[in-house]
Amino acid sequence: MRTITTAHRELAQLLERISDDRLRDPAMDDWKGQDVFAHLAWWHDHSVLVIEGLRAGRQPYDGTDPANTTDSFNERVYREHLDDRPDVTRVAFKQSFERLLAAIKPLTDDELFGADRWPWLGGEALVETLLWDTSRHYEAHLAHLAPLAQNART
């Protein structure tokens, strides 16, 4: 938990230093800064979906469906949030993380760390999904987002 909350706090602080104008600037390929934050917010909610599905005794989604690949998710989220205002993206990033913390809170150590606990995860512990959807994911995008915190447009 500490790894996730520390990484999120650092990214949230970076977001606070990025102006709305800079969030509209390119960050990664065709994606603007706000697109990257909307994408990260969606992956928070992905973890919530996974936690809730597994704890309810069902598959969170059909992982064999081509519409449910990482690339498909990312493209769909990009298109769905293309016209969001920066303030909407800021709220989504904050609230999605709050939902994630609420979903993690009741988990037992076995539910989080048991590698054989959830067959849907293919022998991986749930904590791995949570780390990939949060701290590891933030790290992957930090180089795209950090330059936006600078005042001058490039």
PDB file of all heavy atoms in Angstrom, residues 133-149:
ATOM      1  N   ASP A 133      -1.335  -1.201 -12.364  1.00  0.00           N
ATOM      2  CA  ASP A 133      -2.350  -0.183 -12.653  1.00  0.00           C
ATOM      3  C   ASP A 133      -2.060   1.144 -11.953  1.00  0.00           C
ATOM      4  O   ASP A 133      -2.740   2.135 -12.214  1.00  0.00           O
ATOM      5  CB  ASP A 133      -3.745  -0.678 -12.242  1.00  0.00           C
ATOM      6  CG  ASP A 133      -4.309  -1.710 -13.213  1.00  0.00           C
ATOM      7  OD1 ASP A 133      -3.668  -1.995 -14.240  1.00  0.00           O
ATOM      8  OD2 ASP A 133      -5.414  -2.227 -12.935  1.00  0.00           O
ATOM      9  N   THR A 134      -1.062   1.163 -11.063  1.00  0.00           N
ATOM     10  CA  THR A 134      -0.765   2.384 -10.305  1.00  0.00           C
ATOM     11  C   THR A 134       0.720   2.736 -10.406  1.00  0.00           C
ATOM     12  O   THR A 134       1.165   3.292 -11.385  1.00  0.00           O
ATOM     13  CB  THR A 134      -1.204   2.243  -8.833  1.00  0.00           C
ATOM     14  OG1 THR A 134      -0.525   1.120  -8.240  1.00  0.00           O
ATOM     15  CG2 THR A 134      -2.713   2.070  -8.703  1.00  0.00           C
ATOM     16  N   SER A 135       1.480   2.423  -9.379  1.00  0.00           N
ATOM     17  CA  SER A 135       2.859   2.916  -9.262  1.00  0.00           C
ATOM     18  C   SER A 135       3.736   2.563 -10.462  1.00  0.00           C
ATOM     19  O   SER A 135       4.470   3.424 -10.954  1.00  0.00           O
ATOM     20  CB  SER A 135       3.498   2.419  -7.964  1.00  0.00           C
ATOM     21  OG  SER A 135       3.452   1.013  -7.878  1.00  0.00           O
ATOM     22  N   ARG A 136       3.674   1.354 -10.943  1.00  0.00           N
ATOM     23  CA  ARG A 136       4.491   0.990 -12.110  1.00  0.00           C
ATOM     24  C   ARG A 136       4.012   1.727 -13.360  1.00  0.00           C
ATOM     25  O   ARG A 136       4.820   2.099 -14.210  1.00  0.00           O
ATOM     26  CB  ARG A 136       4.459  -0.516 -12.326  1.00  0.00           C
ATOM     27  CG  ARG A 136       5.144  -1.293 -11.220  1.00  0.00           C
ATOM     28  CD  ARG A 136       4.984  -2.782 -11.413  1.00  0.00           C
ATOM     29  NE  ARG A 136       5.563  -3.514 -10.284  1.00  0.00           N
ATOM     30  CZ  ARG A 136       5.231  -4.753  -9.974  1.00  0.00           C
ATOM     31  NH1 ARG A 136       4.339  -5.407 -10.699  1.00  0.00           N
ATOM     32  NH2 ARG A 136       5.792  -5.348  -8.933  1.00  0.00           N
ATOM     33  N   HIS A 137       2.728   1.910 -13.441  1.00  0.00           N
ATOM     34  CA  HIS A 137       2.143   2.630 -14.574  1.00  0.00           C
ATOM     35  C   HIS A 137       2.520   4.109 -14.528  1.00  0.00           C
ATOM     36  O   HIS A 137       2.834   4.713 -15.549  1.00  0.00           O
ATOM     37  CB  HIS A 137       0.625   2.447 -14.540  1.00  0.00           C
ATOM     38  CG  HIS A 137      -0.024   2.598 -15.868  1.00  0.00           C
ATOM     39  ND1 HIS A 137      -1.285   2.152 -16.099  1.00  0.00           N
ATOM     40  CD2 HIS A 137       0.381   3.150 -17.027  1.00  0.00           C
ATOM     41  CE1 HIS A 137      -1.629   2.416 -17.338  1.00  0.00           C
ATOM     42  NE2 HIS A 137      -0.624   3.025 -17.929  1.00  0.00           N
ATOM     43  N   TYR A 138       2.483   4.695 -13.344  1.00  0.00           N
ATOM     44  CA  TYR A 138       2.882   6.092 -13.199  1.00  0.00           C
ATOM     45  C   TYR A 138       4.318   6.271 -13.664  1.00  0.00           C
ATOM     46  O   TYR A 138       4.653   7.227 -14.371  1.00  0.00           O
ATOM     47  CB  TYR A 138       2.804   6.562 -11.743  1.00  0.00           C
ATOM     48  CG  TYR A 138       1.495   6.399 -11.026  1.00  0.00           C
ATOM     49  CD1 TYR A 138       1.483   6.361  -9.640  1.00  0.00           C
ATOM     50  CD2 TYR A 138       0.283   6.276 -11.694  1.00  0.00           C
ATOM     51  CE1 TYR A 138       0.304   6.227  -8.929  1.00  0.00           C
ATOM     52  CE2 TYR A 138      -0.903   6.127 -10.991  1.00  0.00           C
ATOM     53  CZ  TYR A 138      -0.889   6.103  -9.617  1.00  0.00           C
ATOM     54  OH  TYR A 138      -2.052   5.961  -8.914  1.00  0.00           O
ATOM     55  N   GLU A 139       5.178   5.342 -13.245  1.00  0.00           N
ATOM     56  CA  GLU A 139       6.590   5.424 -13.604  1.00  0.00           C
ATOM     57  C   GLU A 139       6.769   5.392 -15.124  1.00  0.00           C
ATOM     58  O   GLU A 139       7.608   6.104 -15.678  1.00  0.00           O
ATOM     59  CB  GLU A 139       7.343   4.269 -12.948  1.00  0.00           C
ATOM     60  CG  GLU A 139       8.834   4.328 -13.124  1.00  0.00           C
ATOM     61  CD  GLU A 139       9.531   3.195 -12.376  1.00  0.00           C
ATOM     62  OE1 GLU A 139       9.102   2.857 -11.253  1.00  0.00           O
ATOM     63  OE2 GLU A 139      10.500   2.661 -12.933  1.00  0.00           O
ATOM     64  N   ALA A 140       5.960   4.586 -15.789  1.00  0.00           N
ATOM     65  CA  ALA A 140       6.047   4.480 -17.246  1.00  0.00           C
ATOM     66  C   ALA A 140       5.684   5.784 -17.950  1.00  0.00           C
ATOM     67  O   ALA A 140       6.150   6.046 -19.064  1.00  0.00           O
ATOM     68  CB  ALA A 140       5.146   3.345 -17.739  1.00  0.00           C
ATOM     69  N   HIS A 141       4.849   6.602 -17.315  1.00  0.00           N
ATOM     70  CA  HIS A 141       4.393   7.850 -17.945  1.00  0.00           C
ATOM     71  C   HIS A 141       5.031   9.107 -17.369  1.00  0.00           C
ATOM     72  O   HIS A 141       4.796  10.204 -17.883  1.00  0.00           O
ATOM     73  CB  HIS A 141       2.867   7.961 -17.843  1.00  0.00           C
ATOM     74  CG  HIS A 141       2.159   6.973 -18.719  1.00  0.00           C
ATOM     75  ND1 HIS A 141       2.275   6.982 -20.089  1.00  0.00           N
ATOM     76  CD2 HIS A 141       1.337   5.942 -18.419  1.00  0.00           C
ATOM     77  CE1 HIS A 141       1.555   5.998 -20.597  1.00  0.00           C
ATOM     78  NE2 HIS A 141       0.979   5.352 -19.605  1.00  0.00           N
ATOM     79  N   LEU A 142       5.812   8.974 -16.356  1.00  0.00           N
ATOM     80  CA  LEU A 142       6.406  10.145 -15.705  1.00  0.00           C
ATOM     81  C   LEU A 142       7.230  10.995 -16.669  1.00  0.00           C
ATOM     82  O   LEU A 142       7.132  12.228 -16.666  1.00  0.00           O
ATOM     83  CB  LEU A 142       7.246   9.717 -14.509  1.00  0.00           C
ATOM     84  CG  LEU A 142       7.686  10.830 -13.567  1.00  0.00           C
ATOM     85  CD1 LEU A 142       6.486  11.590 -13.025  1.00  0.00           C
ATOM     86  CD2 LEU A 142       8.491  10.241 -12.415  1.00  0.00           C
ATOM     87  N   ALA A 143       8.001  10.363 -17.514  1.00  0.00           N
ATOM     88  CA  ALA A 143       8.835  11.114 -18.467  1.00  0.00           C
ATOM     89  C   ALA A 143       7.986  11.897 -19.462  1.00  0.00           C
ATOM     90  O   ALA A 143       8.425  12.923 -19.981  1.00  0.00           O
ATOM     91  CB  ALA A 143       9.770  10.161 -19.214  1.00  0.00           C
ATOM     92  N   HIS A 144       6.769  11.444 -19.724  1.00  0.00           N
ATOM     93  CA  HIS A 144       5.866  12.160 -20.633  1.00  0.00           C
ATOM     94  C   HIS A 144       5.217  13.351 -19.942  1.00  0.00           C
ATOM     95  O   HIS A 144       4.914  14.359 -20.577  1.00  0.00           O
ATOM     96  CB  HIS A 144       4.755  11.227 -21.139  1.00  0.00           C
ATOM     97  CG  HIS A 144       5.260   9.984 -21.777  1.00  0.00           C
ATOM     98  ND1 HIS A 144       4.937   8.733 -21.299  1.00  0.00           N
ATOM     99  CD2 HIS A 144       6.079   9.780 -22.825  1.00  0.00           C
ATOM    100  CE1 HIS A 144       5.525   7.821 -22.046  1.00  0.00           C
ATOM    101  NE2 HIS A 144       6.229   8.435 -22.981  1.00  0.00           N
ATOM    102  N   LEU A 145       4.982  13.211 -18.647  1.00  0.00           N
ATOM    103  CA  LEU A 145       4.219  14.229 -17.906  1.00  0.00           C
ATOM    104  C   LEU A 145       5.078  15.297 -17.245  1.00  0.00           C
ATOM    105  O   LEU A 145       4.670  16.454 -17.172  1.00  0.00           O
ATOM    106  CB  LEU A 145       3.345  13.536 -16.855  1.00  0.00           C
ATOM    107  CG  LEU A 145       2.274  12.607 -17.421  1.00  0.00           C
ATOM    108  CD1 LEU A 145       1.665  11.758 -16.316  1.00  0.00           C
ATOM    109  CD2 LEU A 145       1.216  13.390 -18.169  1.00  0.00           C
ATOM    110  N   ALA A 146       6.238  14.931 -16.765  1.00  0.00           N
ATOM    111  CA  ALA A 146       7.086  15.879 -16.030  1.00  0.00           C
ATOM    112  C   ALA A 146       7.393  17.161 -16.806  1.00  0.00           C
ATOM    113  O   ALA A 146       7.332  18.248 -16.219  1.00  0.00           O
ATOM    114  CB  ALA A 146       8.370  15.206 -15.560  1.00  0.00           C
ATOM    115  N   PRO A 147       7.685  17.104 -18.104  1.00  0.00           N
ATOM    116  CA  PRO A 147       7.971  18.343 -18.827  1.00  0.00           C
ATOM    117  C   PRO A 147       6.801  19.331 -18.843  1.00  0.00           C
ATOM    118  O   PRO A 147       7.005  20.539 -18.983  1.00  0.00           O
ATOM    119  CB  PRO A 147       8.308  17.878 -20.244  1.00  0.00           C
ATOM    120  CG  PRO A 147       8.765  16.465 -20.074  1.00  0.00           C
ATOM    121  CD  PRO A 147       7.941  15.924 -18.938  1.00  0.00           C
ATOM    122  N   LEU A 148       5.583  18.828 -18.668  1.00  0.00           N
ATOM    123  CA  LEU A 148       4.420  19.722 -18.673  1.00  0.00           C
ATOM    124  C   LEU A 148       4.362  20.606 -17.440  1.00  0.00           C
ATOM    125  O   LEU A 148       3.645  21.610 -17.435  1.00  0.00           O
ATOM    126  CB  LEU A 148       3.123  18.914 -18.791  1.00  0.00           C
ATOM    127  CG  LEU A 148       2.989  18.070 -20.056  1.00  0.00           C
ATOM    128  CD1 LEU A 148       1.682  17.282 -20.015  1.00  0.00           C
ATOM    129  CD2 LEU A 148       3.086  18.914 -21.307  1.00  0.00           C
ATOM    130  N   ALA A 149       5.093  20.249 -16.397  1.00  0.00           N
ATOM    131  CA  ALA A 149       5.093  21.053 -15.173  1.00  0.00           C
ATOM    132  C   ALA A 149       5.953  22.306 -15.318  1.00  0.00           C
ATOM    133  O   ALA A 149       5.901  23.200 -14.483  1.00  0.00           O
ATOM    134  CB  ALA A 149       5.582  20.221 -13.987  1.00  0.00           C
TER     135      ALA A 149
END
